[in-house]
């Protein structure tokens, strides 16, 4: 790219951004050919660029936006909160939004996970769950439990601790030497089914892999971390809810904690508020982030049980959980989360989403039976399928698809050859049809090119 010495005009966001902003998850050189989209505003499911072109945000801006951009109810709550309290430290102080949010979330787990610890992003929530698990065992006199178990293809964030329980080569490989090795067990991904096997059979087989490991090493293992129902970042790998029940039972039998990372799959994404509900279990730790603030502000939290909480409760400072982040429990973020939970209640969102998901599934039916489509799958408001292209061509496919989709007013970013839709919970019938038809058109365009 030509970098001129002339300062760009102030309206030239693209040039200025590429000079000074290092964009996430991006080989910056690709922006020599792939355009950067300067977003000026958002409204409902749509993002608008500086020229007024619109894009249907069919991936909820990296899975965070649940009720659309510039949602009037969340905006109003935030404006009200802004004039009351923008932030106060949460050590030694408390405030109404964090109390109400903790109570509401606790109630949603039937008070099984009644203690909420706050942070700002998903990876930090995962770090907290890992540290808390280890420390709880240590406080119980089981300091030898220092190892963690994750699933093949798992994704739990990209800080050093979270990356250690992440099994996505693209994110992990460069930093391998820095990471503490975790045990990687078989994924219950239903696509692993062998001839004659059901999804439940795959789940049982994957659970046996955990059992074998526990039989050998449970005395050294603090926790197993799972993405319940859908391993999103590896490519929307879906599994039978039975897996969750099986892992819960093994964790009970072998004295190992179960961490449910619901950062992507929580907040109604899979059809129930928490994905774990479909396995009819509660984990020892449940991580939430992404959608919890409606996609407005960075907020994450770890919910845990009375048993874990009690393991830290003592006169001794060092037995406490001395972890903190500057913005822990930020009132604005908590208020956005409360407004988000209020929408779930007021609009009976889970029921509305069942209707919405059925319509989208029906609209996608021609794609599901396309001869270049494999493994069309859906869970709640997640839809995915794999394109029949060579593995070697997967990256090119994904980049071409992204660009072609933008040309059709869609924001879609396939993961390798997996195309997925993770739309906000507000699409109307016209938007559902537009999304399905144009996804199909883009798919055909990319396969032809
Ligand atoms: C996005 C994600 C994370 C990490 O959250 P960040 O806010 O990006 O740090 C962790 N686990 C899962 C399952 C995720 O989808």
């Amino acid at each position: 790219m030509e970098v001129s010495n002339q300062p760009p005009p102030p309206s030239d966001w693209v040039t200025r951004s590429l000079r000074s902003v290092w964009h996430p998850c991006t080989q910056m050189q690709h922006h020599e050919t792939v355009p950067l989209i300067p977003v000026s505003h958002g409204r409902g499911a749509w993002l608008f660029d500086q020229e007024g072109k619109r894009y249907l945000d069919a991936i909820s801006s990296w899975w965070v936006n649940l009720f659309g951009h510039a949602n009037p109810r969340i905006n109003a709550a935030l404006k009200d909160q802004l004039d009351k309290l923008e932030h106060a430290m949460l050590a030694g102080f408390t405030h109404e939004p964090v109390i109400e949010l903790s109570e509401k979330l606790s109630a949603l787990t039937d008070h099984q996970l009644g203690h909420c610890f706050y942070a700002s992003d998903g990876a930090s929530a995962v770090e907290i769950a890992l540290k808390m698990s280890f420390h709880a065992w240590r406080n119980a006199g089981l300091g030898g439990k220092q190892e963690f178990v994750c699933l093949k293809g798992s994704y739990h964030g990209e800080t050093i601790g979270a990356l250690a329980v992440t099994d996505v080569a693209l994110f992990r490989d460069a930093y391998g030497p820095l990471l503490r090795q975790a045990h990687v067990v078989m994924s219950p991904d239903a696509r692993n089914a062998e001839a004659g096997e059901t999804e439940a059979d795959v789940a049982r087989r994957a659970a046996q892999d955990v059992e074998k490991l526990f039989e050998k090493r449970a005395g050294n293992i603090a926790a197993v971390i799972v993405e319940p129902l859908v391993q999103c970042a590896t490519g929307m790998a879906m599994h039978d809810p039975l897996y969750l029940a099986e892992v819960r039972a093994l964790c009970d039998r072998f004295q190992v904690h179960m961490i449910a990372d619901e950062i992507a799959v929580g907040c109604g994404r899979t059809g129930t508020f928490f994905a774990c509900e479909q396995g009819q279990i509660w984990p020892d730790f449940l991580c939430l982030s992404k959608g919890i603030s409606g996609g407005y502000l960075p907020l994450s939290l770890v919910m845990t049980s009375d048993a874990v909480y009690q393991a830290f409760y003592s006169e001794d400072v060092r037995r406490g959980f001395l972890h903190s982040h500057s913005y822990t429990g930020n009132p604005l973020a908590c208020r956005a989360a409360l407004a988000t939970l209020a929408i779930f209640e007021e609009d009976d969102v889970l029921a509305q989403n069942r209707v919405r998901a059925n319509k989208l599934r029906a609209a996608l039916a021609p794609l599901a039976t396309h001869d270049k489509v494999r493994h069309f799958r859906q869970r709640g408001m997640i839809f995915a399928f794999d394109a029949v292209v060579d593995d070697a061509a997967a990256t090119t496919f994904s980049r071409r698809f992204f660009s072609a989709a933008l040309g059709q007013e869609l924001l879609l970013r396939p993961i390798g050859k997996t195309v997925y839709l993770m739309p906000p919970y507000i699409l109307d019938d016209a938007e559902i049809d537009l999304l399905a038809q144009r996804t199909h058109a883009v798919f055909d365009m990319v396969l032809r090119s």
Side-chain angles (χ1 to χ4, degrees):
M1 185 190 309
E2 288 260 321
V3 179
S4 88
N5 292 324
Q6 292 290 317
S11 63
D12 188 359
W13 290 357
V14 172
T15 313
R16 284 165 62 201
S17 195
L18 291 178
R19 274 199 186 158
S20 55
V21 182
W22 196 335
H23 292 267
C25 201
T26 299
Q27 169 48 267
M28 290 297 290
Q29 201 195 55
H30 284 161
H31 279 306
E32 290 182 14
T33 49
V34 178
L36 188 63
I37 313 292
V39 178
S40 77
H41 64 285
R43 184 76 69 222
W46 299 87
L47 290 168
F48 296 84
D49 73 12
Q50 263 185 319
E51 292 169 1
K53 278 185 66 186
R54 60 174 199 167
Y55 307 94
L56 184 70
D57 189 354
I59 58 168
S60 301
S61 279
W62 261 351
W63 324 342
V64 301
N65 186 288
L66 301 190
F67 297 117
H69 298 280
N71 181 286
R73 282 183 273 179
I74 304 176
N75 286 8
L78 280 175
K79 285 173 187 165
D80 177 67
Q81 184 60 40
L82 202 51
D83 283 331
K84 288 185 179 150
L85 177 67
E86 81 298 333
H87 185 68
M89 62 188 288
L90 200 65
F93 290 81
T94 193
H95 50 75
E96 193 177 16
V98 79
I99 298 166
E100 269 200 35
L101 180 58
S102 309
E103 288 176 350
K104 286 230 152 73
L105 288 170
S106 166
L108 285 172
T109 67
D110 213 8
H111 304 288
Q112 296 304 300
L113 301 171
H115 304 275
C116 298
F117 194 100
Y118 289 85
S120 319
D121 55 70
S124 302
V126 168
E127 301 277 345
I128 288 165
L130 299 174
K131 282 177 69 179
M132 248 187 204
S133 169
F134 161 75
H135 199 164
W137 291 125
R138 184 169 178 267
N139 282 347
L142 295 169
K145 289 166 91 63
Q146 303 178 357
E147 297 169 8
F148 296 101
V149 183
C150 64
L151 274 50
K152 193 152 180 24
S154 58
Y155 179 91
H156 298 289
E158 297 172 47
T159 54
I160 303 281
L163 201 52
V165 288
T166 287
D167 183 50
V168 177
L170 184 65
F171 302 130
R172 190 194 152 96
D173 279 2
Y175 310 102
L178 306 183
L179 306 176
R180 227 168 150 266
Q181 198 59 46
H183 300 283
V184 181
V185 291
M186 177 188 155
S187 165
D189 182 351
R191 292 172 301 178
N192 289 332
E194 285 163 7
E197 255 190 337
T198 64
E199 294 195 6
D201 292 335
V202 184
R204 266 186 286 268
R205 188 152 58 85
Q208 280 161 13
D209 203 30
V210 177
E211 184 175 17
K212 263 189 280 166
L213 175 65
F214 281 6
E215 274 166 357
K216 275 191 296 198
R217 290 212 63 88
N220 302 83
I221 294 173
V224 54
I225 183 165
V226 300
E227 294 160 85
L229 301 186
V230 189
Q231 294 180 278
C232 296
T234 194
M236 303 300 156
M238 301 187 183
H239 60 252
D240 194 288
L242 176 69
Y243 183 72
L244 303 174
E246 297 266 318
V247 170
R248 176 71 271 180
L250 289 169
C251 285
D252 289 341
R253 197 169 118 211
F254 287 93
Q255 272 213 320
V256 172
H257 286 144
M258 179 175 184
I259 302 172
D261 177 350
E262 296 222 9
I263 289 165
V265 295
C267 301
R269 186 50 76 180
T270 66
T272 42
F273 189 82
F274 297 110
C276 279
E277 293 172 54
Q278 292 176 56
Q280 298 180 318
I281 56 117
W282 293 114
D284 300 285
F285 302 91
L286 192 151
C287 305
L288 280 185
S289 187
K290 291 205 164 99
I292 186 63
S293 72
Y296 267 68
L297 287 159
L299 179 69
S300 68
L301 59 114
V302 179
M303 305 174 68
T304 192
S305 64
D306 232 20
V308 169
Y309 180 75
Q310 289 304 334
F312 291 83
Y313 202 81
S314 150
E315 284 183 355
D316 185 350
V317 174
R318 287 159 312 164
R319 286 177 65 96
F321 191 60
L322 304 184
H323 184 105
S324 65
H325 295 283
S326 311
Y327 282 100
T328 298
N330 175 259
L332 283 166
C334 290
R335 192 66 193 277
L338 284 167
T340 300
L341 293 183
I343 296 174
F344 271 98
E345 272 182 37
E346 288 160 18
D347 293 2
D348 200 1
V349 168
L350 296 178
Q352 292 296 320
N353 271 357
R354 279 194 285 279
V355 177
R356 208 169 265 123
N358 283 338
K359 284 183 181 163
L360 185 49
R361 192 182 176 108
L364 289 168
L367 248 183
T369 54
H370 194 293
D371 67 341
K372 295 287 186 217
V373 164
R374 294 288 178 275
H375 302 295
F376 183 90
R377 52 200 183 273
Q378 178 221 344
R379 180 138 288 138
M381 288 291 276
I382 306 176
F383 300 78
F385 60 86
D386 304 335
V388 181
V389 293
D390 294 343
D391 281 333
T395 317
T396 327
F397 169 83
S398 136
R399 274 202 264 149
R400 279 205 188 136
F401 196 102
F402 172 71
S403 299
L406 289 176
Q408 298 297 309
E409 301 186 316
L410 298 184
L411 168 47
L412 284 173
R413 271 175 65 114
I415 301 169
K417 53 187 179 179
T418 298
V419 177
Y420 73 92
L421 311 179
M422 238 210 234
Y425 308 162
I426 52 161
L427 295 190
D428 63 22
D429 290 356
E431 288 164 339
I432 286 171
D433 286 339
L434 181 147
L435 175 58
Q437 283 163 17
R438 297 211 186 158
T439 303
H440 196 145
V442 169
F443 186 63
D444 282 336
M445 261 190 302
V446 174
L447 289 185
R448 270 200 312 269
S449 64

